[in-house]
Amino acid sequence: MQESTIAPVRARAAGPTTTPGRPRPEAPAPAHPAGALGAALEQFDRAADHISLDPELRAILRQARREWMFSLPVRMDDGRTEVYTGYRVQHNLSRGPAKGGIRFHPQADLDEVRALAMWMTWKCALVDVPFGGAKGGVACDPLQMSPREVERLARRFATEMAEVIGPERDIPAPDVNTNAQVMAWMMDTLSMHRGYSIPGVMTGKPLEIGGSEGRGDATGQGVVYCVEDAARRIGLPLAGATAAVQGFGNVGEAAARLLAQLGVEVIAVTDIGGGVVAAGGLDLAALRDRARQTGSVAGAPGTFPITNEELIGLDVDVVVLAALDGQVTGKNAGRVRARILAEGANGPTMPDADPILRANGVTVIPDILCNAGGVIVSYFEWVQNREALFWTLEEINDRLRRVILRAADRVWRRAADDDIDPRLAAQAIAVERVARATAIRGLYP
Ligand code: NAD
């Protein structure tokens, strides 16, 4: 009998090898480097083991499809030239064009961008938007740069990526230390090169140039939809519940504000400059103004200082992680007292922390689900740009809610059916989808 043209994604127990006479390759021995890439690979290997992924598909999906590294000389305001390093990694394109943010951060490096690109692949697949995964980064400290210097860096990066990105190829978005203005500069640069406006090349743009209603708050809004859903599942009433939020940028500020609108008392917030706690709840609007003016929430009147470590161990109902990766590890996971740990950031929990959190009954909303609101509304923005027809905020939020809660429902059901933690459930669903798409497309040539 001829084999199905739709290749199986599960390993065959026995049977024909792909090349007659040659043994079928064994799954590569897991080698997990340190940091975000190690975490991403370890999570992938767990999911691949759980679904008994075909070893050849495992080998394909374990590696990025394409990687670029750019040297980015930038003229600084004082006339000096500073040379930065930029990265773009496309992890997988089987389900559509590459999609993923660009971060400007001193710690950005190739391995971190590889991990973030891989997580984007799983995230897009989990919420079923027709994109592959990518990520970009520049190793720089934009907090020490003037707006004009950041603009020159953004435009130089966009120029180096001119052949890589495009609405049909690879569509960047904001991430840590980049925002709608940075997207506008990059979109303008690309459009100037081509000679006509290409709004669909970037998402997370300002409304005035083809951005979408609701994109600014989308990731935080998605976090809050997921928290509401998880709270309902564990019987936690949100009105009157308490929360702590690590990171007070695009994701953290919106999540805190939208949680407060549901009656949650946000009692602690940290950011790069420090943290604040107030037992009776924080004045979030005042914190937002302070962060805008001084660069940090630290020292806000009527609050006490708090560190990231202390925030993670606070006796609150919900902790939202919305800063960087690697925050909850095997060392501090046992101190988490929250009932819900919502991963607004990418990779905030290391693999050695997961079993501890599970054993302690902490409901973890895994990053590829919890923070997917951003890419879902980016998808809506890209669709609106293609159609040149724009939706209302109500339409956006209604669609966002339906898409993210459908994915959440699949994750919780899979976790219950297979008796696994929600991260493994989310990864298993996503890896299966990407593996299936990769197998159906087949190997070229
Ligand atoms: P942002 O730059 O807007 O905000 C980051 C926040 O984290 C800032 O408040 C910053 O002060 C704080 N921070 C930085 N270092 C810190 C530290 N060491 N300790 C405590 N706080 C620290 O970035 P963002 O867009 O809000 O992204 C935050 C996280 O969410 C990242 O992991 C990002 O990949 C992820 N994410 C973002 C989006 C999006 O749409 N922006 C989508 C999905 C996931």
Side-chain angles (χ1 to χ4, degrees):
M1 195 182 73
Q2 225 188 343
E3 265 191 44
S4 161
T5 49
I6 298 183
V9 299
R10 284 172 190 275
R12 284 165 285 193
T17 54
T18 41
T19 310
R22 261 205 247 157
R24 217 175 152 67
E26 289 301 314
H32 301 130
L37 183 59
L41 288 172
E42 195 170 334
Q43 291 165 1
F44 167 70
D45 284 327
R46 266 186 89 207
D49 289 345
H50 183 71
I51 64 171
S52 303
L53 183 65
D54 173 88
E56 290 171 353
L57 283 168
R58 181 195 286 246
I60 291 170
L61 298 183
R62 229 172 168 270
Q63 277 201 20
R65 165 96 179 251
R66 301 175 181 145
E67 303 180 340
W68 292 265
M69 211 165 128
F70 315 107
S71 141
L72 302 166
V74 174
R75 182 86 62 221
M76 307 306 276
D77 291 345
D78 63 6
R80 281 179 307 115
T81 300
E82 196 79 53
V83 184
Y84 298 99
T85 306
Y87 310 91
R88 185 76 180 165
V89 172
Q90 295 176 347
H91 172 258
N92 188 280
L93 307 175
S94 297
R95 302 180 73 258
K99 187 89 191 78
I102 296 170
R103 68 170 53 175
F104 287 176
H105 194 271
Q107 263 100 54
D109 63 21
L110 188 55
D111 275 357
E112 183 187 69
V113 176
R114 283 172 170 153
L116 291 162
M118 182 182 256
W119 282 323
M120 281 305 297
T121 300
W122 312 142
K123 192 183 305 180
C124 292
L126 177 65
V127 297
D128 212 5
V129 293
F131 291 132
K135 204 78 179 189
V138 178
C140 65
D141 188 355
L143 305 182
Q144 305 301 322
M145 297 164 71
S146 74
R148 293 278 73 85
E149 290 167 346
V150 172
E151 177 179 353
R152 286 194 285 271
L153 175 62
R155 289 186 182 280
R156 182 75 191 207
F157 187 56
T159 302
E160 288 297 342
M161 290 199 307
E163 297 310 313
V164 174
I165 61 178
E168 314 283 343
R169 300 175 172 199
D170 183 342
I171 309 116
D175 194 71
V176 176
N177 291 330
T178 56
N179 55 23
Q181 178 61 73
V182 173
M183 295 305 107
W185 288 326
M186 290 190 176
M187 173 272 200
D188 178 68
T189 304
L190 258 293
S191 299
M192 292 302 289
H193 279 264
R194 307 263 163 89
Y196 54 95
S197 285
I198 316 172
V201 70
M202 298 276 162
T203 59
K205 300 179 297 295
L207 279 178
E208 293 83 346
I209 57 168
S212 174
E213 291 286 352
R215 177 61 182 89
D217 279 355
T219 309
Q221 181 68 76
V223 169
V224 172
Y225 287 148
C226 288
V227 169
E228 264 187 296
D229 175 61
R232 191 179 43 77
R233 288 172 194 272
I234 64 168
L236 169 70
L238 277 186
T242 51
V245 180
Q246 185 192 57
F248 202 57
N250 180 288
V251 182
E253 187 278 326
R257 174 167 35 87
L258 297 167
L259 280 174
Q261 285 174 14
L262 296 177
V264 176
E265 203 164 61
V266 179
I267 67 159
V269 164
T270 53
D271 67 18
I272 195 164
V276 288
V277 60
L282 293 163
D283 178 346
L284 295 172
L287 283 189
R288 183 177 162 153
D289 289 345
R290 186 178 183 84
R292 279 196 182 141
Q293 282 156 18
T294 70
S296 174
V297 297
T303 66
F304 293 99
I306 188 171
T307 64
N308 275 332
E309 275 305 302
E310 289 164 344
L311 179 139
I312 285 167
L314 272 182
D315 188 9
V316 287
D317 297 304
V318 181
V319 165
V320 178
L321 299 174
L324 297 173
D325 53 73
Q327 298 302 299
V328 180
T329 65
K331 290 205 177 79
N332 63 5
R335 298 205 356 259
V336 175
R337 288 196 276 173
R339 294 184 64 191
I340 295 176
L341 188 67
E343 297 186 340
N346 287 305
T349 303
M350 298 306 275
D352 58 349
D354 277 325
I356 301 169
L357 294 168
R358 187 165 196 230
N360 290 348
V362 180
T363 298
V364 176
I365 310 174
D367 50 4
I368 61 171
L369 170 66
C370 193
N371 69 38
V375 78
I376 293 169
V377 177
S378 273
Y379 166 56
F380 298 160
E381 181 174 334
W382 179 77
V383 169
Q384 291 170 86
N385 290 156
R386 288 170 80 96
E387 293 184 343
L389 187 67
F390 287 84
W391 309 344
T392 64
L393 179 60
E394 290 69 33
E395 283 173 299
I396 297 282
N397 280 340
D398 181 52
R399 287 174 199 244
L400 164 60
R401 191 168 204 282
R402 275 187 283 131
V403 172
I404 204 162
L405 292 187
R406 190 179 55 205
D409 197 52
R410 291 218 171 95
V411 169
W412 298 118
R413 266 194 289 133
R414 180 72 176 257
D417 289 350
D418 293 9
D419 190 20
I420 53 178
D421 63 68
R423 185 183 321 285
L424 179 53
Q427 293 250 340
I429 295 166
V431 173
E432 273 169 0
R433 283 191 179 152
V434 179
R436 175 132 336 256
T438 304
I440 289 170
R441 286 182 61 158
L443 208 52
Y444 176 86

